[in-house]
Structure formats: C-alpha cells, structure tokens
Amino acid sequence: MSNIPENLFYTEDHEWILIEDDVATIGITDFAQSSLGDIVFVELPEAETSFDEGDSFGVVESIKSVSDLYTPLSGSIVEKNEEVEETPEKLNEDAFGSWLVKLKMSDSSQAEKLLNAESYKAFCENNA
Amino acid sequence: MNRTALYDSHIDLGAKMVEFGGYEMPIQYSNLKQEALAVRNNVGMFDVSHMGEFFVKGKDAAKFVDHLLTNDFLGAAELKAVYSPLCRENGTVVDDLIAYKISNEFVMICVNASNMQKDWDWIQSKQNGFDVDITNRSEDYSLIALQGPKSYEVLKSIDPELSDIDYYSLQIKEDGNLPLIYARTGYTGEDGFEIFASHQQIMALWSKLLSADVTPCGLGSRDVLRLEVGYPLYGQEINDELTPLDAGLKWTVKMDKADFIGKEALSELKAKFVNLKLVLDKGIPRTGYEVVDSEDNIMGEITSGSMSVVLGKGVAMARMNKEKYNSKSDLYINIRGRKYKAEKHKGPFVMGGHK
C-alpha cells in the first residue's frame, strides 16, 4: 500500500485534505495518481470561485481518461497551484507534495465527515 | 462475457480488464505510455482475439468478396490483403475490414468484434448467385498483433521459417483446416504482423514472445497508436449512418471496378462531412467535444481525441459538417466550456515505420 501521511484527512474519491484553521488544502492521493497513470493535464478553478460540498472543482486527465475533482467541503478558492497546471506530471512524482487548491471553508463542521489516515487506509485495502 | 484464450495470462500480468465487443479485454497492463512507446521504438503485442474471422471458400470466393467491398479485391494478387469498407446498397458502411486472399478460391475476412454478428448476417444474405461456402471461424481463431520496428526480428527468432514478406502480404504456415496465417498488417502504423492461429498455438506463441521481452500492450495504447497515425475506428470515425465518402475513405472506393454493393449510391452521393486532423498546444480533445469558430458557431465534433505520447500534445480527428464548416475559420475545441485553439494538421500526426 502506498504511503498515507497521518497528518492529513481523506475522502473516498482519493483526495487528501490538510486543515489549517478555516483553510483546507486539497490534493489527490498517491493511490489516485497511481490508478490514473501518466497525468497529462490539470484544470483548476480561479481564486474566489465558490463551491458547495460535492461540486466538481476541476479535472485531472491521463492520456486516455478525464476525471473530475470533487470538493468534500463548501467554500471559496483562495489559491490554485499553477505549478501543477503547468507541469501535471508533478502529481505522479509527488502526489502529497503537489497540492491543487486552497479553499476557505464556509462550514468547517463538514470537515468532521472526512476520513482519517487509518480509515482511508482501510478503505483503500477494501477497494483495491 | 467472453474471454480470449489469453485471459489467464492477462490476469497474471496484472492487466486492467474492460468489456469490449462482448469480450473481457486488457485495456492496459502497467503503463499506457510505456506500452505505446514500446511499439513505436521496439516491439509490443496485443491480444486481439476478440476480432471476427470468416472464411469464404469456393470457385467464386474472390469474386464474391470483391462484390461485397468498395475497394478492389479482384485485382489483388494471391497472398495479399486489402483494407476496405463493407457497404450497403445505400452506400452506408456496415463495417471496415481486412480481406486476406489466401487464394482465389479461399478468402479470410477479419472484422471488428463489435460488428461481427451484423457482418455475418449481412454477408450471408448476399451470397445468392455465387459459388461460395461461408463459415464463421471467430470461435476457432486467436489473434496476436505483434507491432513495432523489431517485430520481424523477434518473430523470426521464434519461427525461422518466417519470410520477410511485404506490407499487406501473407504467409500461410499450415495449410490445414485452420491455417496459421502471418499477415504483415496492423493498426499502429509500425511494422508488424498479425498472427491468426488456433488457441493452443497462440497461447504458446504469446509465452514465447513474453520470454523474448515483447511488451504486452492493451487496447488503450492501441487506440492512441492508431489515432497518432490517423487510422479510423468503426463507431467513431465510421458508423452505420455514414458513407466511406463521409468518413474520409474515398481512397477505398474504386468506382472503376465492376459492380459492387453500394456503387450506384456512392456514384451519386457527395460527402456530407469534411474530416480533419487537429493538434492543440494546450488541452486534450476527447470524443464528442464540439469544434467551434471564434464566434462559438458549432462546425463539427471530435470523433477521436487523446494526448499523443510521441508529440506530448492533444491530437484529434474531427468530423466537420460541410454546411457549417468554413475552411478559413479559426478552429477551437470547446472543452468543458472553455475554448482551446486547434490547428489543422496534414497527414498522420506520427509517421509510422511500416514497410
């Protein structure tokens, strides 16, 4: 099983979330990049765009596939990682070091539904 | 769902399996890009046993197949293969296929898996008046496509009797009830062979090719490879509603040959579409995306699109509506509501190295 940092939260869509005060930094997990294969295109939202929990906020594309990115939290975008848009292969090289967006949460109670590292690890093992 | 004789090997190799044409087929093994590059630079192999094979035997075999096809088959020498659409009387395409002239009295037709039953019904319904016996051998044959610049070298090392035959030529290995056929054909633009043989023979050959370090490749890389060299795929560039003229296959319609099914309609019809190849500096075109002009008028749609593993850019084939397409307009692809500039490309995106 790929590494799963303890300090992050996770979703069943294979995203990781770092919570710092009311800002959530969102990325995709090592499991996600590995199942996608070579990531060749990333499209992320501009700052100040608002999303509701469950909305698609962007896409990652491999050579043959297009996958939506879904936000597990409502809020508005503070910043997107332009470096990942410019060099999508960074997601393959270091998924946990390549964040996608920072989102200012409008309802931080939603974070309680996120998986911790242990639960996410169990989820991956059951769905491998 | 059907499985090919190589199913267990695919699972052992860790392939990701998908449904295709009623079969569980490997879409990719470990890495699609590495699989595609193995074919471009070295050698790879595909299990394409899901494809259909029909035998047409009898005095009129070549004549009957020529009557079915828009391309010239009577003019082909023995041990030659011909790519052709199979058309209806109204000119629309039932399937696109390769016909292999083993002799003037023995033709094998290889068809798309997803059209196999439709083709079989169509061909059977047209045999009246011809001295032919038609059999469906799809269940009996397995098929490996060995593709890449080192194909000949590696296959020769396994079978020293292999001849260095020309592109679109055949070598018949065993002239039994189910001949082993080496055909210098393929769907990647590279040199290579399609090998039709019994399940047992194919399982043995696949193992030997694996031992010879041939990269097993899935249908995902096959689709990228065929798009890079601009080959059409039935269901995308070609379908039941289109004629070969609509699909950019005018070169396969030989109006100067004797009567064939669809000739009259095709002599009168004009193409309703213009087929383009497009390259994007940014963004990846996908099937079904709209092609628009600078004022957002829809002029056509993407029929196949992907990232090219060789160019590292988005490439696509597009079907443009003749009434809406202005060849002088700037072209954009509508990707999730954003417009990405596309440039027309002449010829294949990648030059394959086939003979």
Side-chain angles (χ1 to χ4, degrees):
Chain A
M1 181 49 61
S2 49
N3 79 86
I4 296 173
E6 294 288 330
N7 62 323
L8 303 175
F9 292 99
Y10 298 90
T11 71
E12 294 186 357
D13 293 324
H14 301 285
E15 287 162 337
W16 60 260
I17 299 101
L18 173 70
I19 308 268
E20 292 167 307
D21 300 326
D22 61 349
V23 174
T25 303
I26 303 175
I28 62 169
T29 65
D30 199 44
F31 181 97
Q33 70 76 19
S34 162
S35 347
L36 286 165
D38 290 293
I39 295 170
V40 291
F41 190 79
V42 178
E43 191 175 272
L44 299 171
E46 300 301 328
E48 294 179 25
T49 319
S50 292
F51 295 99
D52 286 327
E53 172 192 0
D55 284 353
S56 165
F57 68 89
V59 296
V60 284
E61 300 194 35
S62 66
I63 293 168
K64 289 287 294 171
S65 72
V66 182
S67 307
D68 277 296
L69 296 161
Y70 297 99
T71 172
L73 306 161
S74 305
S76 68
I77 300 296
V78 180
E79 193 183 354
K80 66 170 175 174
N81 187 350
E82 288 178 6
E83 198 185 347
V84 167
E85 279 190 325
E86 292 298 317
T87 49
E89 62 272 20
K90 283 206 183 302
L91 286 170
N92 290 119
E93 289 159 12
D94 182 10
F96 291 111
S98 309
W99 58 278
L100 297 172
V101 293
K102 293 181 192 289
L103 174 125
K104 188 172 164 57
M105 292 184 281
S106 55
D107 176 3
S108 39
S109 73
Q110 289 171 343
E112 289 163 22
K113 285 183 287 184
L114 300 174
L115 306 174
N116 62 23
E118 193 185 343
S119 313
Y120 177 63
K121 191 176 176 194
F123 175 78
C124 287
E125 279 162 5
N126 292 332
N127 293 274
Chain B
M1 212 182 326
N2 295 309
R3 290 175 175 179
T4 73
L6 298 171
Y7 176 84
D8 289 344
S9 178
H10 301 323
I11 299 301
D12 286 347
L13 291 164
K16 192 184 290 179
M17 306 296 284
V18 295
E19 191 276 336
F20 190 87
Y23 281 80
E24 265 183 277
M25 300 301 290
I27 185 91
Q28 73 177 62
Y29 295 83
S30 54
N31 184 290
L32 187 150
K33 186 176 176 180
Q34 284 165 16
E35 292 167 26
L37 291 175
V39 170
R40 289 272 175 254
N41 302 324
N42 198 348
V43 57
M45 60 178 171
F46 305 84
D47 176 16
V48 280
S49 302
H50 59 313
M51 297 190 77
E53 294 87 6
F54 307 146
F55 281 178
V56 182
K57 290 184 174 182
K59 190 167 66 66
D60 292 339
K63 195 173 135 195
F64 174 59
V65 173
D66 188 72
H67 173 70
L68 293 173
L69 304 183
T70 61
N71 207 343
D72 178 24
F73 192 68
L74 268 185
E78 290 187 333
L79 299 177
K80 285 284 180 188
V82 173
Y83 168 81
S84 181
L86 172 73
C87 283
R88 300 182 182 83
E89 283 79 1
N90 68 4
T92 59
V93 184
V94 180
D95 200 2
D96 67 328
L97 53 81
I98 296 181
Y100 298 84
K101 193 184 277 188
I102 297 168
S103 74
N104 284 314
E105 292 78 41
F106 183 6
V107 179
M108 186 181 74
I109 298 174
C110 180
V111 302
N112 283 304
S114 46
N115 289 332
M116 195 272 281
Q117 192 59 48
K118 177 178 71 171
D119 296 349
W120 176 244
D121 294 343
W122 175 258
I123 292 171
Q124 276 197 310
S125 76
K126 296 297 168 189
Q127 65 177 306
N128 277 347
F130 292 90
D131 183 359
V132 288
D133 178 40
I134 309 169
T135 48
N136 186 343
R137 307 304 300 269
S138 305
E139 300 277 302
D140 304 318
Y141 267 125
S142 281
L143 171 57
I144 294 174
L146 180 71
Q147 301 279 292
K150 295 198 177 142
S151 296
Y152 175 68
E153 185 186 319
V154 72
L155 193 55
K156 180 82 176 174
S157 74
I158 290 168
D159 182 358
E161 289 176 36
L162 179 72
S163 301
D164 192 6
I165 49 178
D166 289 335
Y167 190 51
Y168 268 73
S169 294
L170 327 176
Q171 182 182 357
I172 308 301
K173 191 64 197 322
E174 284 163 34
D175 203 355
N177 177 43
L178 195 76
L180 188 155
I181 300 171
Y182 291 129
R184 207 141 198 186
T185 49
Y187 198 41
T188 65
E190 298 303 328
D191 189 16
F193 294 83
E194 291 181 300
I195 304 137
F196 301 82
S198 71
H199 306 312
Q200 291 297 330
Q201 287 169 320
I202 286 291
M203 286 193 281
L205 177 62
W206 180 267
S207 300
K208 286 178 191 167
L209 291 168
L210 279 177
S211 304
D213 281 335
V214 175
T215 305
C217 301
L219 297 183
S221 56
R222 192 166 186 257
D223 194 46
V224 174
L225 288 159
R226 68 94 194 165
L227 170 60
E228 284 184 334
V229 289
Y231 292 172
L233 173 62
Y234 197 98
Q236 295 187 214
E237 284 70 39
I238 315 170
N239 63 46
D240 278 316
E241 315 283 309
L242 301 173
T243 70
L245 311 176
D246 294 331
L249 293 171
K250 190 168 185 219
W251 67 274
T252 63
V253 181
K254 300 293 168 24
M255 295 308 301
D256 53 350
K257 79 173 202 181
D259 196 34
F260 61 88
I261 297 172
K263 184 176 183 181
E264 198 181 325
L266 291 168
S267 72
E268 287 163 13
L269 290 169
K270 295 266 183 290
K272 295 190 289 292
F273 299 93
V274 177
N275 293 272
L276 297 181
K277 294 190 181 71
L278 303 173
V279 180
L280 283 71
D281 271 332
K282 197 166 170 18
I284 304 172
R286 307 285 183 185
T287 304
Y289 288 1
E290 294 164 350
V291 184
V292 300
D293 64 15
S294 52
E295 271 132 42
D296 291 336
N297 299 303
I298 301 170
M299 297 187 292
E301 67 171 327
I302 302 296
T303 51
S304 294
S306 176
M307 174 69 103
S308 160
V309 297
V310 171
L311 302 181
K313 288 182 179 181
V315 298
M317 293 197 259
R319 183 157 60 227
M320 310 300 289
N321 187 319
K322 226 172 191 176
E323 286 171 10
K324 296 178 180 166
Y325 169 57
N326 178 344
S327 64
K328 293 192 184 73
S329 300
D330 283 342
L331 300 176
Y332 300 86
I333 314 298
N334 180 353
I335 304 180
R336 296 175 293 272
R338 285 193 208 173
K339 281 162 78 175
Y340 290 81
K341 187 88 176 61
E343 299 297 336
K344 281 182 259 188
H345 185 90
K346 285 237 184 327
F349 300 110
V350 173
M351 291 306 288
H354 71 70
K355 291 183 89 173

PDB file of all heavy atoms in Angstrom, chain B residues 39-60:
ATOM      1  N   VAL B  39       5.887   0.034 -28.731  1.00  0.00           N
ATOM      2  CA  VAL B  39       5.501  -0.260 -30.121  1.00  0.00           C
ATOM      3  C   VAL B  39       6.205   0.703 -31.089  1.00  0.00           C
ATOM      4  O   VAL B  39       6.683   0.293 -32.142  1.00  0.00           O
ATOM      5  CB  VAL B  39       3.968  -0.191 -30.283  1.00  0.00           C
ATOM      6  CG1 VAL B  39       3.571  -0.246 -31.753  1.00  0.00           C
ATOM      7  CG2 VAL B  39       3.309  -1.323 -29.500  1.00  0.00           C
ATOM      8  N   ARG B  40       6.293   1.964 -30.739  1.00  0.00           N
ATOM      9  CA  ARG B  40       6.941   2.934 -31.637  1.00  0.00           C
ATOM     10  C   ARG B  40       8.448   2.664 -31.763  1.00  0.00           C
ATOM     11  O   ARG B  40       9.016   2.831 -32.849  1.00  0.00           O
ATOM     12  CB  ARG B  40       6.747   4.364 -31.120  1.00  0.00           C
ATOM     13  CG  ARG B  40       5.338   4.897 -31.251  1.00  0.00           C
ATOM     14  CD  ARG B  40       5.079   5.563 -32.596  1.00  0.00           C
ATOM     15  NE  ARG B  40       3.679   5.955 -32.713  1.00  0.00           N
ATOM     16  CZ  ARG B  40       2.778   5.328 -33.463  1.00  0.00           C
ATOM     17  NH1 ARG B  40       3.129   4.287 -34.193  1.00  0.00           N
ATOM     18  NH2 ARG B  40       1.533   5.728 -33.513  1.00  0.00           N
ATOM     19  N   ASN B  41       9.079   2.256 -30.672  1.00  0.00           N
ATOM     20  CA  ASN B  41      10.550   2.214 -30.661  1.00  0.00           C
ATOM     21  C   ASN B  41      11.137   0.816 -30.640  1.00  0.00           C
ATOM     22  O   ASN B  41      12.310   0.645 -30.942  1.00  0.00           O
ATOM     23  CB  ASN B  41      11.079   2.959 -29.428  1.00  0.00           C
ATOM     24  CG  ASN B  41      10.599   4.399 -29.403  1.00  0.00           C
ATOM     25  OD1 ASN B  41      10.488   5.027 -30.454  1.00  0.00           O
ATOM     26  ND2 ASN B  41      10.286   4.900 -28.233  1.00  0.00           N
ATOM     27  N   ASN B  42      10.328  -0.191 -30.262  1.00  0.00           N
ATOM     28  CA  ASN B  42      10.890  -1.506 -30.031  1.00  0.00           C
ATOM     29  C   ASN B  42       9.902  -2.557 -30.536  1.00  0.00           C
ATOM     30  O   ASN B  42       9.735  -2.716 -31.734  1.00  0.00           O
ATOM     31  CB  ASN B  42      11.178  -1.604 -28.523  1.00  0.00           C
ATOM     32  CG  ASN B  42      12.128  -2.696 -28.177  1.00  0.00           C
ATOM     33  OD1 ASN B  42      12.446  -3.552 -28.996  1.00  0.00           O
ATOM     34  ND2 ASN B  42      12.573  -2.703 -26.944  1.00  0.00           N
ATOM     35  N   VAL B  43       9.207  -3.231 -29.654  1.00  0.00           N
ATOM     36  CA  VAL B  43       8.177  -4.174 -30.096  1.00  0.00           C
ATOM     37  C   VAL B  43       7.199  -4.445 -28.960  1.00  0.00           C
ATOM     38  O   VAL B  43       7.584  -4.591 -27.795  1.00  0.00           O
ATOM     39  CB  VAL B  43       8.806  -5.479 -30.653  1.00  0.00           C
ATOM     40  CG1 VAL B  43       9.702  -6.164 -29.648  1.00  0.00           C
ATOM     41  CG2 VAL B  43       7.743  -6.441 -31.167  1.00  0.00           C
ATOM     42  N   GLY B  44       5.919  -4.480 -29.334  1.00  0.00           N
ATOM     43  CA  GLY B  44       4.858  -4.776 -28.375  1.00  0.00           C
ATOM     44  C   GLY B  44       3.865  -5.736 -29.001  1.00  0.00           C
ATOM     45  O   GLY B  44       3.912  -5.990 -30.210  1.00  0.00           O
ATOM     46  N   MET B  45       2.987  -6.292 -28.163  1.00  0.00           N
ATOM     47  CA  MET B  45       1.979  -7.202 -28.723  1.00  0.00           C
ATOM     48  C   MET B  45       0.629  -7.016 -28.059  1.00  0.00           C
ATOM     49  O   MET B  45       0.528  -6.648 -26.897  1.00  0.00           O
ATOM     50  CB  MET B  45       2.431  -8.656 -28.571  1.00  0.00           C
ATOM     51  CG  MET B  45       2.650  -9.087 -27.137  1.00  0.00           C
ATOM     52  SD  MET B  45       3.135 -10.832 -27.114  1.00  0.00           S
ATOM     53  CE  MET B  45       3.584 -11.021 -25.391  1.00  0.00           C
ATOM     54  N   PHE B  46      -0.394  -7.243 -28.869  1.00  0.00           N
ATOM     55  CA  PHE B  46      -1.778  -7.065 -28.439  1.00  0.00           C
ATOM     56  C   PHE B  46      -2.537  -8.364 -28.644  1.00  0.00           C
ATOM     57  O   PHE B  46      -2.403  -9.001 -29.689  1.00  0.00           O
ATOM     58  CB  PHE B  46      -2.468  -5.993 -29.295  1.00  0.00           C
ATOM     59  CG  PHE B  46      -1.767  -4.674 -29.337  1.00  0.00           C
ATOM     60  CD1 PHE B  46      -0.715  -4.449 -30.232  1.00  0.00           C
ATOM     61  CD2 PHE B  46      -2.159  -3.639 -28.495  1.00  0.00           C
ATOM     62  CE1 PHE B  46      -0.079  -3.225 -30.279  1.00  0.00           C
ATOM     63  CE2 PHE B  46      -1.513  -2.405 -28.549  1.00  0.00           C
ATOM     64  CZ  PHE B  46      -0.474  -2.191 -29.437  1.00  0.00           C
ATOM     65  N   ASP B  47      -3.343  -8.732 -27.671  1.00  0.00           N
ATOM     66  CA  ASP B  47      -4.303  -9.811 -27.873  1.00  0.00           C
ATOM     67  C   ASP B  47      -5.523  -9.188 -28.535  1.00  0.00           C
ATOM     68  O   ASP B  47      -6.220  -8.380 -27.918  1.00  0.00           O
ATOM     69  CB  ASP B  47      -4.684 -10.420 -26.522  1.00  0.00           C
ATOM     70  CG  ASP B  47      -5.769 -11.494 -26.662  1.00  0.00           C
ATOM     71  OD1 ASP B  47      -6.003 -11.964 -27.802  1.00  0.00           O
ATOM     72  OD2 ASP B  47      -6.365 -11.860 -25.631  1.00  0.00           O
ATOM     73  N   VAL B  48      -5.754  -9.529 -29.791  1.00  0.00           N
ATOM     74  CA  VAL B  48      -6.948  -9.008 -30.478  1.00  0.00           C
ATOM     75  C   VAL B  48      -7.810 -10.176 -30.961  1.00  0.00           C
ATOM     76  O   VAL B  48      -8.438 -10.128 -32.013  1.00  0.00           O
ATOM     77  CB  VAL B  48      -6.601  -8.004 -31.603  1.00  0.00           C
ATOM     78  CG1 VAL B  48      -6.311  -6.645 -31.006  1.00  0.00           C
ATOM     79  CG2 VAL B  48      -5.416  -8.448 -32.439  1.00  0.00           C
ATOM     80  N   SER B  49      -7.830 -11.215 -30.122  1.00  0.00           N
ATOM     81  CA  SER B  49      -8.588 -12.430 -30.450  1.00  0.00           C
ATOM     82  C   SER B  49     -10.103 -12.196 -30.477  1.00  0.00           C
ATOM     83  O   SER B  49     -10.845 -13.056 -30.936  1.00  0.00           O
ATOM     84  CB  SER B  49      -8.296 -13.518 -29.420  1.00  0.00           C
ATOM     85  OG  SER B  49      -6.911 -13.797 -29.368  1.00  0.00           O
ATOM     86  N   HIS B  50     -10.536 -11.057 -29.957  1.00  0.00           N
ATOM     87  CA  HIS B  50     -11.975 -10.764 -29.990  1.00  0.00           C
ATOM     88  C   HIS B  50     -12.466 -10.470 -31.401  1.00  0.00           C
ATOM     89  O   HIS B  50     -13.656 -10.557 -31.669  1.00  0.00           O
ATOM     90  CB  HIS B  50     -12.301  -9.593 -29.062  1.00  0.00           C
ATOM     91  CG  HIS B  50     -11.587  -8.309 -29.382  1.00  0.00           C
ATOM     92  ND1 HIS B  50     -10.237  -8.258 -29.645  1.00  0.00           N
ATOM     93  CD2 HIS B  50     -12.038  -7.036 -29.494  1.00  0.00           C
ATOM     94  CE1 HIS B  50      -9.890  -6.998 -29.892  1.00  0.00           C
ATOM     95  NE2 HIS B  50     -10.962  -6.245 -29.811  1.00  0.00           N
ATOM     96  N   MET B  51     -11.558 -10.157 -32.316  1.00  0.00           N
ATOM     97  CA  MET B  51     -11.978  -9.835 -33.684  1.00  0.00           C
ATOM     98  C   MET B  51     -12.553 -11.078 -34.363  1.00  0.00           C
ATOM     99  O   MET B  51     -12.274 -12.215 -33.978  1.00  0.00           O
ATOM    100  CB  MET B  51     -10.810  -9.273 -34.482  1.00  0.00           C
ATOM    101  CG  MET B  51     -10.315  -7.952 -33.866  1.00  0.00           C
ATOM    102  SD  MET B  51      -9.132  -7.061 -34.872  1.00  0.00           S
ATOM    103  CE  MET B  51     -10.222  -6.336 -36.107  1.00  0.00           C
ATOM    104  N   GLY B  52     -13.379 -10.844 -35.399  1.00  0.00           N
ATOM    105  CA  GLY B  52     -14.069 -11.957 -36.062  1.00  0.00           C
ATOM    106  C   GLY B  52     -13.357 -12.389 -37.332  1.00  0.00           C
ATOM    107  O   GLY B  52     -12.734 -11.570 -38.008  1.00  0.00           O
ATOM    108  N   GLU B  53     -13.410 -13.688 -37.611  1.00  0.00           N
ATOM    109  CA  GLU B  53     -12.816 -14.210 -38.841  1.00  0.00           C
ATOM    110  C   GLU B  53     -13.842 -15.056 -39.583  1.00  0.00           C
ATOM    111  O   GLU B  53     -14.435 -15.970 -38.999  1.00  0.00           O
ATOM    112  CB  GLU B  53     -11.583 -15.086 -38.544  1.00  0.00           C
ATOM    113  CG  GLU B  53     -10.404 -14.329 -37.939  1.00  0.00           C
ATOM    114  CD  GLU B  53     -10.476 -14.237 -36.419  1.00  0.00           C
ATOM    115  OE1 GLU B  53     -11.379 -14.862 -35.830  1.00  0.00           O
ATOM    116  OE2 GLU B  53      -9.638 -13.531 -35.821  1.00  0.00           O
ATOM    117  N   PHE B  54     -14.025 -14.747 -40.865  1.00  0.00           N
ATOM    118  CA  PHE B  54     -14.909 -15.548 -41.713  1.00  0.00           C
ATOM    119  C   PHE B  54     -14.074 -16.149 -42.837  1.00  0.00           C
ATOM    120  O   PHE B  54     -13.194 -15.481 -43.386  1.00  0.00           O
ATOM    121  CB  PHE B  54     -16.011 -14.693 -42.361  1.00  0.00           C
ATOM    122  CG  PHE B  54     -16.819 -13.849 -41.404  1.00  0.00           C
ATOM    123  CD1 PHE B  54     -17.303 -12.601 -41.808  1.00  0.00           C
ATOM    124  CD2 PHE B  54     -17.120 -14.281 -40.114  1.00  0.00           C
ATOM    125  CE1 PHE B  54     -18.049 -11.803 -40.945  1.00  0.00           C
ATOM    126  CE2 PHE B  54     -17.871 -13.493 -39.248  1.00  0.00           C
ATOM    127  CZ  PHE B  54     -18.338 -12.250 -39.665  1.00  0.00           C
ATOM    128  N   PHE B  55     -14.389 -17.378 -43.182  1.00  0.00           N
ATOM    129  CA  PHE B  55     -13.798 -17.998 -44.372  1.00  0.00           C
ATOM    130  C   PHE B  55     -14.807 -17.918 -45.504  1.00  0.00           C
ATOM    131  O   PHE B  55     -15.985 -18.231 -45.309  1.00  0.00           O
ATOM    132  CB  PHE B  55     -13.497 -19.483 -44.125  1.00  0.00           C
ATOM    133  CG  PHE B  55     -12.244 -19.758 -43.334  1.00  0.00           C
ATOM    134  CD1 PHE B  55     -11.911 -21.086 -43.020  1.00  0.00           C
ATOM    135  CD2 PHE B  55     -11.394 -18.746 -42.911  1.00  0.00           C
ATOM    136  CE1 PHE B  55     -10.759 -21.377 -42.295  1.00  0.00           C
ATOM    137  CE2 PHE B  55     -10.245 -19.025 -42.189  1.00  0.00           C
ATOM    138  CZ  PHE B  55      -9.923 -20.348 -41.872  1.00  0.00           C
ATOM    139  N   VAL B  56     -14.344 -17.534 -46.672  1.00  0.00           N
ATOM    140  CA  VAL B  56     -15.153 -17.617 -47.886  1.00  0.00           C
ATOM    141  C   VAL B  56     -14.393 -18.545 -48.823  1.00  0.00           C
ATOM    142  O   VAL B  56     -13.271 -18.220 -49.249  1.00  0.00           O
ATOM    143  CB  VAL B  56     -15.352 -16.231 -48.549  1.00  0.00           C
ATOM    144  CG1 VAL B  56     -16.233 -16.361 -49.788  1.00  0.00           C
ATOM    145  CG2 VAL B  56     -15.952 -15.240 -47.556  1.00  0.00           C
ATOM    146  N   LYS B  57     -14.970 -19.701 -49.096  1.00  0.00           N
ATOM    147  CA  LYS B  57     -14.288 -20.681 -49.956  1.00  0.00           C
ATOM    148  C   LYS B  57     -15.171 -21.007 -51.145  1.00  0.00           C
ATOM    149  O   LYS B  57     -16.401 -20.919 -51.059  1.00  0.00           O
ATOM    150  CB  LYS B  57     -13.994 -21.970 -49.177  1.00  0.00           C
ATOM    151  CG  LYS B  57     -12.927 -21.821 -48.104  1.00  0.00           C
ATOM    152  CD  LYS B  57     -12.641 -23.182 -47.462  1.00  0.00           C
ATOM    153  CE  LYS B  57     -11.463 -23.083 -46.494  1.00  0.00           C
ATOM    154  NZ  LYS B  57     -11.133 -24.386 -45.899  1.00  0.00           N
ATOM    155  N   GLY B  58     -14.551 -21.415 -52.247  1.00  0.00           N
ATOM    156  CA  GLY B  58     -15.318 -21.820 -53.423  1.00  0.00           C
ATOM    157  C   GLY B  58     -14.812 -21.136 -54.678  1.00  0.00           C
ATOM    158  O   GLY B  58     -13.976 -20.221 -54.615  1.00  0.00           O
ATOM    159  N   LYS B  59     -15.340 -21.565 -55.795  1.00  0.00           N
ATOM    160  CA  LYS B  59     -14.909 -21.074 -57.094  1.00  0.00           C
ATOM    161  C   LYS B  59     -15.009 -19.542 -57.201  1.00  0.00           C
ATOM    162  O   LYS B  59     -14.153 -18.885 -57.775  1.00  0.00           O
ATOM    163  CB  LYS B  59     -15.779 -21.739 -58.184  1.00  0.00           C
ATOM    164  CG  LYS B  59     -15.313 -21.531 -59.602  1.00  0.00           C
ATOM    165  CD  LYS B  59     -16.019 -22.457 -60.576  1.00  0.00           C
ATOM    166  CE  LYS B  59     -17.518 -22.202 -60.745  1.00  0.00           C
ATOM    167  NZ  LYS B  59     -17.862 -20.919 -61.352  1.00  0.00           N
ATOM    168  N   ASP B  60     -16.077 -18.980 -56.594  1.00  0.00           N
ATOM    169  CA  ASP B  60     -16.326 -17.533 -56.728  1.00  0.00           C
ATOM    170  C   ASP B  60     -15.833 -16.731 -55.519  1.00  0.00           C
ATOM    171  O   ASP B  60     -16.239 -15.579 -55.347  1.00  0.00           O
ATOM    172  CB  ASP B  60     -17.831 -17.278 -56.880  1.00  0.00           C
ATOM    173  CG  ASP B  60     -18.380 -17.795 -58.195  1.00  0.00           C
ATOM    174  OD1 ASP B  60     -17.577 -17.985 -59.145  1.00  0.00           O
ATOM    175  OD2 ASP B  60     -19.606 -18.021 -58.264  1.00  0.00           O
TER     176      ASP B  60
END
